[in-house]
Amino acid sequence: MTLPDAARPPASRERLNLPPLGFGAAAIGNLYAAMSDDAARETIEAALASGLAYFDTAPHYGFGLSETRLGAVLPPKVKVSTKVGRVLCPAPDVDPAAERHGFVAAAPFEPVFDYSYDGVMRSFEASLERLNRDHVEVLLAHDLGQVTHGVDDAARRRQFFDGGYKAMRALRDGGAVDAIGLGVNEWEICDAALDEAEFDVFLLAGRYTLLEQTALDRFLPRCAARDVSIIVGGPFNSGVLVEGVRAGAHYNYGPASAEILDRVRRLEAVCRAHATPLAAAALRFPLAHPQVVSVIPGMSSPAQVRQALAWAAHPIPDALWDDLRAQDLLHPDAPTPRETR
């Protein structure tokens, strides 16, 4: 895939050597809707044919299904990130068609949180087998944080830093992975993690987007100071930055509130005035930040692959970003893509 010059990462963002646009593979693990193996293969093959060369997955996505489907198709040359923090336990008695943890007709396993040293090692070895690889580029500890774990948060963090983190360091030191980090929906846990240990990268889902930029207040400046890269997941905030203002629009895995819809309405109006799809602006915006090395929207069909590529390549006038800032729709410190220099 080739992006316009303005969307290409500057040299300072290429240390992980990830392409600016990647493939989020939760949907091919049957997130919210079942798809056949053939449909998953067609989607992955369409992504490869379009030049996409970075795929993000996790054992949790379909309880091994996403990794297995990727492993059946991906060539060795593409880059992969996967995650640890859960182990998959056989669950032969589950209803094969049921929705569990958001995944429909998934593999017959139950995900169990385990951030221990042994749990991380077992999870990683199982992922390599499903992915049909002996190495992945990025390994991320999945879903740490207060929102996920509630009253168990402190204990989960301690288990990770006392055990799982050491396993991840050992895997990186041994060459089984190139980079380690967290894959989460909360920037606050990443910020706290910087006080505990050393990381290469964080995959932050939904927390640095056209709609939401509070990570600029503290977290992203700390990443810059520590030379930590960011992969942006959920650039559409669960769909509202594609769907726009309409009944049933989704934000952060649930119905969008009136406050969110009002802000989206204002974003839409500016984009419309500059003949730019809201989704195109949403996809391109995070890449302007010098710490962001890749953006990985979820894709569940060849049509969605083609659409993401079209949005990524859509020319966006500088005046759009200027108008968003003038209307207080961007954080004062948010960098923006510029077509002219």
Side-chain angles (χ1 to χ4, degrees), residues 91-96 108:
D93 297 329
V94 298
D95 179 351

Side-chain angles (χ1 to χ4, degrees), residues 204-336:
L204 190 61
R207 304 284 79 81
Y208 186 63
T209 70
L210 191 62
L211 186 59
E212 186 173 335
Q213 299 132 40
T214 57
L216 281 165
D217 291 336
R218 167 184 168 90
F219 172 59
L220 288 176
R222 292 193 73 198
C223 288
R226 297 279 290 269
D227 197 32
V228 177
S229 297
I230 302 294
I231 300 164
V232 170
F236 304 130
N237 283 113
S238 298
V240 72
L241 291 177
V242 172
E243 300 160 347
V245 178
R246 67 168 181 79
H250 290 83
Y251 166 75
N252 207 26
Y253 309 109
S257 69
E259 180 182 6
I260 291 295
L261 290 177
D262 180 66
R263 191 171 183 86
V264 172
R265 185 177 293 107
R266 295 170 63 202
L267 290 167
E268 278 187 303
V270 174
C271 289
R272 191 179 306 114
H274 292 282
T276 298
L278 175 63
L283 200 57
R284 291 275 295 285
F285 166 74
L287 286 166
H289 195 285
Q291 299 312 117
V292 175
V293 294
S294 191
V295 175
I296 51 168
M299 304 181 201
S300 62
S301 69
Q304 287 192 359
V305 171
R306 292 189 293 270
Q307 183 65 83
L309 288 162
W311 284 331
H314 193 284
I316 300 178
D318 293 351
L320 180 147
W321 309 113
D322 296 337
D323 287 353
L324 289 176
R325 199 180 301 280
Q327 295 188 33
D328 294 324
L329 289 169
L330 292 181
H331 191 286
D333 297 331
T336 56

